[in-house]
Amino acid sequence: LKILGPDHPKVATNYSNLGAAYADKGDYDRAIGYHKRALAIDLKRLRPDHPNLAIRYSNLGVDYGRKGDYDRAIRYYKKALSINLKRLGPDHPKVAIRYCNLGDAYKGKHEFDRALKYYLKALSIAKRRLGRNHQQTKVYQKRVDDIEWTDPFGTIRMRMAQ
């Protein structure tokens, strides 16, 4: 801080790393504090649609989601998604990650229909861009399978106890 100054990009990166470390320890309030500091630095120096901001917003979404504050998580995930859609296009694997994040938050809120909608978007992108056998595609497929199933008559049903 003394050498680089409070608004240097490396300071933002260090704050983000501290946030990740606290999140790994389960101290989400501290994680959020450090992730917000990183975001504040980047907001001063980067364009509003810079990909680094999508990462910062996503980190905050993860922290709030882990705390169970799904509404805040959704707000941050939507900001990240908006940037990724604008900068990367609708068919990019990072966009699929953002859709999956939103699905996780809606699943946490027990809004399974909305969760499924986002998981299916993520799965669709992954199948096209990564292939059916890619590990990330399998992760998204598992998310879908956790919410819906097909009964013996071929009817798709929602799992309600998630």
Side-chain angles (χ1 to χ4, degrees), residues 88-152:
L88 304 173
D91 211 36
H92 195 280
K94 284 188 181 180
V95 171
I97 292 169
R98 303 301 174 232
Y99 284 138
C100 186
N101 291 148
L102 282 162
D104 290 343
Y106 282 112
K107 183 178 177 186
K109 289 181 68 167
H110 298 276
E111 293 183 27
F112 301 113
D113 56 337
R114 289 176 115 175
L116 182 61
K117 175 183 116 178
Y118 285 110
Y119 289 150
L120 288 170
K121 285 183 178 192
L123 180 60
S124 176
I125 293 168
K127 283 180 179 177
R128 282 193 309 276
R129 294 295 306 273
L130 304 173
R132 292 182 178 277
N133 293 320
H134 190 278
Q135 185 60 37
Q136 198 61 42
T137 305
K138 291 177 183 180
V139 167
Y140 300 145
Q141 183 65 61
K142 171 91 170 80
R143 295 285 210 297
V144 169
D145 293 344
D146 284 347
I147 291 181
E148 74 175 13
W149 60 282
T150 305
D151 70 16

Side-chain angles (χ1 to χ4, degrees), residues 15-39 55-74 76-77 101 105:
Y15 281 144
S16 184
N17 291 340
L18 283 166
Y22 280 110
D24 286 345
K25 290 177 62 172
D27 190 344
Y28 302 118
D29 291 324
R30 274 203 176 147
I32 289 165
Y34 281 110
H35 283 139
K36 282 186 173 182
R37 288 167 120 172
L39 175 63
I55 294 166
R56 304 288 188 234
Y57 288 132
S58 182
N59 288 342
L60 283 161
V62 169
D63 294 340
Y64 279 112
R66 288 179 177 166
K67 273 185 69 166
D69 189 344
Y70 300 114
D71 290 325
R72 278 196 183 145
I74 289 166
Y76 282 110
Y77 288 145
N101 291 148

